[in-house]
Amino acid sequence: EEAIEGTVFEISSSEPLCLAIVTGPVNALLRGERTALNTLSRCSGVATASRQACAIASSCNWNGHVAGTRKTTPGFRIAEKYGLLVGGASTHRLDLSQMTMLKDNHIWSAGSISAAVALAKRAAGFSSKIEVECQSLQEAVEAAHAGADIVMLDNFEPNRLKQDSATFKQQFPHVLVEASGGITIETMGDYLSEHVDIVSQG
């Protein structure tokens, strides 16, 4: 059986799957073999984990976005992001140019969340979304008032996340809520809520 992009296969050692056929000079093939296999293995592992996470979301009838971590392995970003897509998850952002993310160090240097968002809007212009990492409901409200497009509720316990995201969405229904921090395949189901739009791991 041969692999086709976009098709999911359940495989086992008794039913091998042909992923690629490579031809060329033997010395060139042998030089590139291990690097190619390592890259393919890494991408396949990410795709498998991505699919598992998406299956959990689907089993809970959750309609939000499962996103991968923003932290990629140096030199493997394209392979890992591709693996996420193959598994059915979102890539979060492909690189630093795709969205402006304000973390605690940016907020400290600007003096406040509102000031940091204002500076980011001035630098990024109208075409770039702005996400703010928040440690509390109060910070999320400040970020939304300042014009953030997405608030990340970071390292919230599941019950607190559900309560605070519901309260937040009552006031800001059009601002996306992302849950992140400490979420694993085993615990992801506990974080899913109708008021959470994105769940990311890592």
Side-chain angles (χ1 to χ4, degrees):
E1 195 166 19
E2 293 187 5
I4 302 172
E5 187 171 12
T7 304
V8 175
F9 292 90
E10 295 293 343
I11 62 172
S12 66
S13 58
S14 62
E15 297 180 9
L17 179 67
C18 176
L19 293 178
I21 298 174
V22 183
T23 60
V26 173
N27 62 340
L29 293 178
L30 293 177
R31 282 201 307 270
E33 175 192 20
R34 183 51 50 191
T35 300
L37 287 175
N38 286 344
T39 302
L40 184 59
S41 296
R42 181 69 181 170
C43 184
S44 297
V46 171
T48 297
S50 170
R51 185 167 179 234
Q52 289 172 344
C54 290
I56 292 170
S58 179
S59 70
C60 295
N61 296 316
W62 185 67
N63 296 316
H65 297 277
V66 175
T69 174
R70 303 173 309 282
K71 309 169 188 72
T72 55
T73 308
F76 282 85
R77 183 178 68 200
I78 293 176
E80 291 174 351
K81 295 292 189 180
Y82 179 70
L84 283 171
L85 293 174
V86 169
S90 299
T91 62
H92 207 282
R93 55 180 178 176
L94 287 173
D95 56 43
L96 296 178
S97 70
Q98 286 207 319
M99 179 172 62
T100 302
M101 177 172 286
L102 300 176
K103 298 174 70 67
D104 50 9
N105 51 341
H106 304 115
I107 294 164
W108 292 335
S109 65
S112 68
I113 288 175
S114 298
V117 172
L119 287 170
K121 281 183 167 293
R122 194 179 314 147
F126 69 89
S127 62
S128 179
K129 287 187 176 181
I130 295 175
E131 179 170 11
V132 180
E133 183 180 87
C134 303
Q135 308 299 323
S136 67
L137 174 60
Q138 291 72 23
E139 289 187 356
V141 169
E142 181 182 354
H145 276 304
D149 302 287
I150 308 167
V151 295
M152 177 192 290
L153 303 183
D154 193 36
N155 291 310
F156 278 49
E157 292 297 323
N159 289 337
R160 180 185 167 210
L161 171 72
K162 292 174 180 178
Q163 289 179 337
D164 286 356
S165 62
T167 301
F168 178 85
K169 281 289 194 175
Q170 287 178 348
Q171 191 172 356
F172 304 100
H174 302 300
V175 177
L176 296 177
V177 172
E178 176 180 352
S180 188
I183 301 173
T184 65
I185 287 283
E186 292 74 24
T187 64
M188 194 184 88
D190 298 333
Y191 291 84
L192 303 181
S193 160
E194 62 180 310
H195 306 293
V196 174
D197 303 290
I198 307 148
V199 168
S200 60
Q201 298 181 32

